[in-house]
Amino acid sequence: MRLRALLENDALGLRLLGGDDELDRTVRGVMTTDLKDPSRYLSGGELVLTGLAWLREPADAEPFVRILASAGVAALAAGEAELGDIPDDLVQACSRHRLPLFAVNESVAFATITEHVVRQVSGERAGDLAAVVDRHRRLMTSGPAGGGPEVVLDLLGSDLDLRAWVLSPTGRQIAGAGEPLEPGLAATLAGEHLAATRTGRRGPHRLSIGGTAYSLFPIRNTGRGAAPAARDVRETVLSDWLLAVEADAGDWPAARLDLLQGVTQLIAVERDRRDAARTVRRRLAQEVLELVQTGAAPAEIAARLRVAAPVLLPGLGTAPHWQVVVARVEWDQDPGQTALDTGPVAQSLLEEILVDPATSGADSADRIAVAHSGDEAIALVPLATAPLPDSEDDVPAATLGLHADALLASVRTPLSAGLDGDGRLTLGVSAAVHSAEGLRGALEEARHARRVAAARPGRVCAAGHHELASHVLLLPFVPDDVRRAFTARLLDPLKDYDRRHRAELIPTLEAFLDCDGSWTRCATRLHLHVNTLRYRVGRIEQLTGRDLSRLEDKLDFFLALRMS
């Protein structure tokens, strides 16, 4: 808005004392201050309101006005409530520095002026930004991309003073303007968004973290050409992006909310474009998967892999090693209810999980090929190879590739919020293989590892190939009644004794087995005298009828503790 417009509103009680020829200056904001030096809070273009509490003597006026002029403020408005008429020293200083000066009638509150300026400035900025967003949308829907989400987020920051970030459902930053979000905060915001969406609440979802307000907007394409809306929110909740804005949208006018909805539509169009670019990689993965599942000859699979390798790892000179990752999203459903289509969301989610969480940007998954078969998503992950030191043999980089626990470490919290109540995500990871002959075994290995993960408690679980050569593989498949009977027979007498005497026999047993039956190491770990440890172990043997010097009894106790 222009300074001239302030004089046209009689309700503001402003009287011009100097600066008639500067009334076409633009006002970009408003600030109230009684500091002698408010420079640290000025960015230029403000209407500065002051009650003149800083004016103790005539000489104070010159340095104050000089500071405002140097900062590029639009004008100064001084209240008459404190001193009555505005001092001549201030009027003259403003004239010397060509700074327009208004007197504010004592009957008018500064809050009235502030509210008016903010409303006018925000409205003008929103209108300008809306025009830019609309033009950008037309560019993106009818031709080449207009710069991606970052352009729109920059506009939100520069024109509406809004910091905003586009986040994936796991909390990974897709785009942002300025400083990136701290990963823990981003994961928390994503989890809150998923939880709110699951309850059916309409966006934006508002929350406060550490005293800072955030508003979370879902990003979905509802315009012409968009995919049909899901019949159940669970079919899309784990794959939708979100827009996180550092502001409380609760008191926003309808025009600003509509503008942000337009921004989300714009970002959704860009996401659809990038998803379409993944079609080739997904098709390659689907073709390789079909060949592997139908038992095609290794030579035929190898030929398909040679086609896939340049797309997934451009510039790679040698054929990579491969790993297979299998994921499934499952929801509880009532009998007779139409089955949910979980394959596409598992596919999208697995593509996201396989991206390094420290990597930002929407194109980070461009070298990951994920197919889906029914409700199961299957990823064919290429691993670049590198020679071992002092060796001519190539081995997969990053210690033979992906590890199940590491894949879920940064995404467990937000995804658990989205699955809470009736959903589960389970994931299995194969060992690395270096030829087409090994892919069928890798696929079965990943599927078996996923079944091991599915037998564990928790909303988000994973298992890797290394667990398939251990007792861990067997335990999840022991029937529940057998597990309960076995553990009760061995451990219930110890638990009852601990409950009555606080003897800590169960912790002692765990430590003793963990120390491989070493009396000295176990006593040191528990901060006990060896004789005290011998007494406790003797009591364990007496209550259970077992002998902890025998391997068979040690193994039984070990398995009982693992199954309890």
Side-chain angles (χ1 to χ4, degrees), residues 163 165 181 185 189 205-210 212-216 244-249:
R163 298 180 67 206
W165 304 266
L181 277 178
L185 174 58
L189 292 175
H205 312 306
R206 296 150 50 212
L207 69 155
S208 178
I209 299 176
T212 302
Y214 296 92
S215 297
L216 310 176
V245 180
E246 190 180 272
D248 186 349

Side-chain angles (χ1 to χ4, degrees), residues 28 117-127 129-130 133 155-163 204 215 217 243 245-264:
R28 295 189 176 88
V117 172
V118 169
R119 188 186 306 116
Q120 293 298 317
V121 170
S122 296
E124 291 176 7
R125 287 183 178 179
L129 181 58
V133 168
L155 289 172
L156 287 177
S158 61
D159 285 29
L160 290 185
D161 297 326
L162 292 177
R163 298 180 67 206
S215 297
F217 295 79
L243 176 67
V245 180
E246 190 180 272
D248 186 349
D251 57 355
W252 282 3
R256 179 170 285 206
L257 287 173
D258 289 344
L259 172 62
L260 266 292
Q261 296 296 344
V263 169
T264 64

Side-chain angles (χ1 to χ4, degrees), residues 511-524 530 533 554:
F512 187 72
L513 295 175
D514 195 42
C515 292
D516 299 323
S518 168
W519 296 99
T520 304
R521 283 195 289 125
C522 184
T524 301
V530 173
L533 176 61
K554 286 180 181 176

Side-chain angles (χ1 to χ4, degrees), residues 462-482:
H465 60 90
H466 60 283
E467 299 182 57
L468 303 185
S470 160
H471 66 280
V472 176
L473 172 63
L474 302 176
L475 296 185
F477 302 102
V478 177
D480 288 343
D481 54 345
V482 175

Side-chain angles (χ1 to χ4, degrees), residues 492 494-503:
D492 280 3
L494 306 182
K495 292 178 181 178
D496 292 340
Y497 191 87
D498 280 348
R499 198 159 33 244
R500 294 195 310 269
H501 301 284
R502 298 182 180 179

Side-chain angles (χ1 to χ4, degrees), residues 236-311:
T236 59
V237 64
L238 297 179
S239 58
D240 288 340
W241 288 356
L242 67 135
L243 176 67
V245 180
E246 190 180 272
D248 186 349
D251 57 355
W252 282 3
R256 179 170 285 206
L257 287 173
D258 289 344
L259 172 62
L260 266 292
Q261 296 296 344
V263 169
T264 64
Q265 284 287 292
L266 185 59
I267 296 172
V269 170
E270 175 68 5
R271 183 184 183 175
D272 288 348
R273 184 187 302 279
R274 296 185 183 190
D275 279 349
R278 292 184 179 180
T279 303
V280 173
R281 292 186 298 280
R282 288 174 171 175
R283 185 182 300 124
L284 286 172
Q286 195 74 43
E287 291 175 356
V288 173
L289 173 63
E290 290 173 359
L291 290 174
V292 171
Q293 289 183 312
T294 56
E300 186 177 358
I301 299 174
R304 181 57 57 189
L305 285 177
R306 283 194 293 273
V307 173
V311 176

Side-chain angles (χ1 to χ4, degrees), residues 27-41:
V27 180
R28 295 189 176 88
V30 62
M31 189 195 77
T32 300
T33 184
D34 274 314
L35 296 174
K36 295 184 69 171
D37 181 2
S39 57
R40 74 183 71 179
Y41 305 109

